[in-house]
């Protein structure tokens, strides 16, 4: 996969309330420091300058976080009401998040195994389990 750039923002879904983008690996979501040459915030400002909200700290209302090295779908609320709705969904655990980790082994150590993580702590299996 090619390194992230200001131009390669992948949009997964867009409505009047939400924007879901595919966050690139090794990319910060936002930053107040000038040292960060590229962030998701800068990609969004470049692609959607009309959606930036000057009343927010970073210009966009990120509904959740992904780690710096993690790639995947990230939801951005485009107005206060949508942000409030998303916040309640996360707080009330009406949102399910799933993580898939891909690991590469050398051919001599290759084996078939997979792990499943249950991110909903209210279910019977609260910890990672191997399938």
């Amino acid at each position: 996969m090619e390194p992230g750039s200001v131009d390669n923002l992948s949009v997964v879904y867009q409505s009047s309330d939400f924007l879901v983008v595919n966050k690139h690996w090794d990319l910060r979501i936002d930053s107040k420091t000038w040292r960060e040459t590229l962030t998701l915030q800068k990609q969004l400002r470049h692609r959607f300058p009309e959606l930036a909200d000057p009343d927010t700290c970073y210009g966009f209302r990120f509904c959740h976080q992904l780690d710096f090295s993690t790639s995947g779908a990230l939801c951005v609320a485009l107005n206060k009401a949508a942000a409030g709705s998303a916040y309640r969904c996360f707080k009330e655990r009406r949102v399910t998040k799933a993580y898939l980790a891909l690991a590469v082994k050398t051919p001599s150590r290759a084996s078939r195994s997979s792990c499943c993580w249950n991110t909903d702590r209210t279910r019977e299996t609260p910890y990672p389990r191997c399938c």
Side-chain angles (χ1 to χ4, degrees):
M1 182 182 222
E2 65 186 43
S5 73
V6 75
D7 294 316
N8 70 350
L9 177 65
S10 174
V11 177
V12 178
Y13 173 81
Q14 184 175 3
S15 71
S16 59
D17 291 323
F18 294 100
L19 184 63
V20 178
V21 296
N22 188 20
K23 181 195 152 305
H24 201 275
W25 53 272
D26 286 355
L27 182 70
R28 295 194 191 288
I29 292 174
D30 51 41
S31 178
K32 289 183 182 179
T33 66
W34 59 269
R35 292 184 304 265
E36 295 299 330
T37 57
L38 182 65
T39 62
L40 180 60
Q41 165 196 6
K42 288 180 183 177
Q43 286 181 315
L44 288 167
R45 280 189 185 277
H46 178 76
R47 176 97 174 260
F48 300 103
E50 72 282 3
L51 298 179
D53 185 347
D55 293 335
T56 63
C57 184
Y58 297 107
F60 295 93
R61 292 176 174 90
F62 298 105
C63 297
H64 58 99
Q65 298 285 312
L66 287 177
D67 290 339
F68 170 74
S69 60
T70 303
S71 63
L74 190 123
C75 184
V76 180
L78 300 178
N79 55 61
K80 258 183 157 175
S85 175
Y87 170 79
R88 284 187 296 282
C89 287
F90 277 96
K91 183 179 177 185
E92 295 167 5
R93 297 189 183 266
R94 290 188 282 153
V95 175
T96 301
K97 291 191 255 180
Y99 296 89
L100 173 65
L102 301 176
V104 178
K105 295 181 180 182
T106 59
S108 63
R109 294 183 182 174
S111 66
R112 291 195 158 270
S113 66
S114 64
C115 288
C116 306
W117 282 269
N118 179 357
T119 59
D120 184 355
R121 299 287 180 188
T122 62
R123 293 188 187 163
E124 291 180 15
T125 313
Y127 303 104
R129 61 177 164 64
C130 287
C131 305

